[in-house]
Amino acid sequence: PTQYRLLNKYLFKMAPLRTPLIGQDDTIFSMEAALYKKSMSNIVLLAEAGQGKSALTQYFAQLNEKLLTVYEVSLSALHGEDKNLGTRLNQLLDELIDYKRRATDKKDVVLFFDEMHQLPLYSLEAVESIKPKLARGAELGIHIIGATTYMEYTKYIKPNPALTTRFQQIIVPELSRELIHQILISHLPE
């Protein structure tokens, strides 16, 4: 709706994957179990760069499309030229809460923050501003999936215990040689 200026500008519905995701059933199950808990229903996917955290979230969105809608949030765009991420993120979440309260569609909303470590890197104020909303998110039907590497998580997120306690960590396993082979075979033309 047009009255939600920030939602329209900074949220992008995740596109479906063109091919099925192979070998990540356990990780998908862990994501579903975490997001549907009554408390701490936000997750952070941890894996090295290029291990498919975004693709995993896209596949998760596809599998659960009847229950929820997943939107990607561009932190760099949200940060903007005026460097006021905290205020803008708080306003975006307020708009989302208002939208959820008025919506006839009762599906949960998941915000996907790729490169989640940018949040405290850009603005500690932004982190502080979302903590109360993260704590209440499940009751409002709003969840967050963050994605980052182990190193960036340890350096930028872990030092903030109040933030780490609001996210369940899910380790995305490194792809085995056999799984990589299986994925490559599945992409060959018939």
Side-chain angles (χ1 to χ4, degrees), residues 29-175:
F29 178 77
S30 296
M31 292 172 73
E32 289 170 343
L35 283 182
Y36 294 119
K37 286 185 352 184
K38 293 210 183 297
S39 63
M40 200 168 81
S41 63
N42 303 297
I43 60 177
V44 58
L45 300 173
L46 297 173
E48 293 307 318
Q51 288 296 311
K53 297 177 292 290
S54 296
L56 191 59
T57 304
Q58 283 178 280
Y59 189 58
F60 171 81
Q62 246 177 278
L63 293 175
N64 292 279
E65 67 184 339
K66 290 188 168 114
L67 302 171
L68 51 84
T69 305
V70 180
Y71 295 96
E72 185 165 6
V73 180
S74 171
L75 285 174
S76 56
L78 195 59
H79 185 235
E81 294 174 16
D82 61 3
K83 313 291 188 240
N84 202 354
L85 178 64
T87 302
R88 198 170 287 120
L89 184 57
N90 212 16
Q91 291 169 341
L92 179 108
L93 290 172
D94 286 340
E95 279 188 13
L96 184 56
I97 290 166
D98 184 65
Y99 170 75
K100 283 290 296 161
R101 285 188 176 136
R102 295 172 188 249
T104 54
D105 173 5
K106 296 303 177 192
K107 291 196 313 187
D108 281 10
V109 172
V110 177
L111 302 180
F112 175 62
F113 292 100
D114 197 11
E115 307 295 334
M116 182 183 158
H117 65 278
Q118 291 178 352
L119 200 53
L121 187 63
Y122 282 148
S123 167
L124 287 175
E125 176 201 345
V127 172
E128 295 303 317
S129 74
I130 67 168
K131 283 181 193 175
K133 291 177 175 104
L134 286 173
R136 292 189 1 232
E139 67 191 50
L140 299 170
I142 299 169
H143 313 275
I144 293 178
I145 296 175
T148 191
T149 66
Y150 305 108
M151 184 184 77
E152 291 161 332
Y153 179 84
T154 303
K155 187 173 182 180
Y156 299 110
I157 297 170
K158 199 172 184 179
N160 191 322
L163 186 59
T164 57
T165 59
R166 287 170 172 83
F167 285 88
Q168 181 172 330
Q169 295 177 33
I170 296 180
I171 308 297
V172 179
E174 191 170 332
L175 300 176

